[in-house]
Amino acid sequence: MSKPVFQLSEEQRQGVEAFFQRIPFNQVLGIRIDELSGDRVVMSLPMKPELIGNFVHGILHGGVISSLLDVAGGAMALIGAFDKHQHLSQQERMQRLSKLGTIDLRVDYLRPGRGQLFTATAVLLRSGNKVAVVRSELHSDDGTLVAVGTGTYLCG
């Protein structure tokens, strides 16, 4: 029997959103949070000239692709950690969650990043007491799968 999906409270959702909005790099890229839930995280990124990696074809830079997959994956890992650390006091939970970081990220670039809006969707594959594994996908605005990523995150 599968475990029911963790229900993110409004306070937790706002906490995750505030955490990621306080990261200057996320602001520089222009990452927007579209959905935060126990099921998945969805973030989007509008194309702008500063994000182009191939200026001849106007293609999104690979580093931006990996960054967006990583940010979405980190948010999903954080949500998974909320579920795992529910039994802890607020102070102890925040102390553990402040250590959130990427241990490993593998990105497979499948197609050029062409488009005006890119959307990353992240789902939790496994969440343990200290480590979470997340699978992320990046699609362009026409639905093309641009890249996939698997990230391992320290979250406890």
Side-chain angles (χ1 to χ4, degrees):
M1 187 182 318
S2 64
K3 181 181 172 189
V5 174
F6 173 67
Q7 295 299 313
L8 195 64
S9 71
E10 182 59 24
E11 181 182 355
Q12 290 169 326
R13 191 194 63 71
Q14 288 175 358
V16 173
E17 194 168 308
F19 180 83
F20 281 89
Q21 288 179 347
R22 291 188 62 199
I23 298 172
F25 187 65
N26 296 347
Q27 299 305 310
V28 168
L29 291 179
I31 297 172
R32 300 187 305 215
I33 297 172
D34 299 327
E35 179 185 336
L36 297 171
S37 72
D39 287 327
R40 67 184 189 155
V41 166
V42 179
M43 295 184 176
S44 58
L45 178 71
M47 179 58 117
K48 54 186 180 179
E50 300 88 346
L51 304 180
I52 291 174
N54 181 322
F55 65 89
V56 174
H57 297 286
I59 296 170
L60 187 64
H61 192 284
V64 175
I65 292 170
S66 66
S67 294
L68 182 55
L69 291 172
D70 188 32
V71 171
M76 190 71 247
L78 184 61
I79 290 169
F82 276 145
D83 185 25
K84 286 289 181 185
H85 301 315
Q86 288 185 69
H87 65 285
L88 301 174
S89 69
Q90 177 73 8
Q91 181 179 357
E92 190 175 1
R93 186 170 40 240
M94 293 314 294
Q95 180 184 3
R96 285 194 183 192
L97 296 177
S98 71
K99 297 175 184 174
L100 177 71
T102 307
I103 296 171
D104 184 61
L105 178 65
R106 176 194 164 88
V107 176
D108 293 310
Y109 299 93
L110 305 173
R111 290 179 190 85
R114 292 188 177 97
Q116 294 306 306
L117 182 70
F118 299 90
T119 303
T121 304
V123 295
L124 195 61
L125 296 179
R126 183 185 187 290
S127 183
N129 290 325
K130 296 192 181 274
V131 174
V133 180
V134 177
R135 181 73 170 168
S136 302
E137 294 185 350
L138 182 73
H139 289 86
S140 61
D141 47 13
D142 68 358
T144 301
L145 180 61
V146 174
V148 295
T150 304
T152 306
Y153 299 88
L154 179 63
C155 54

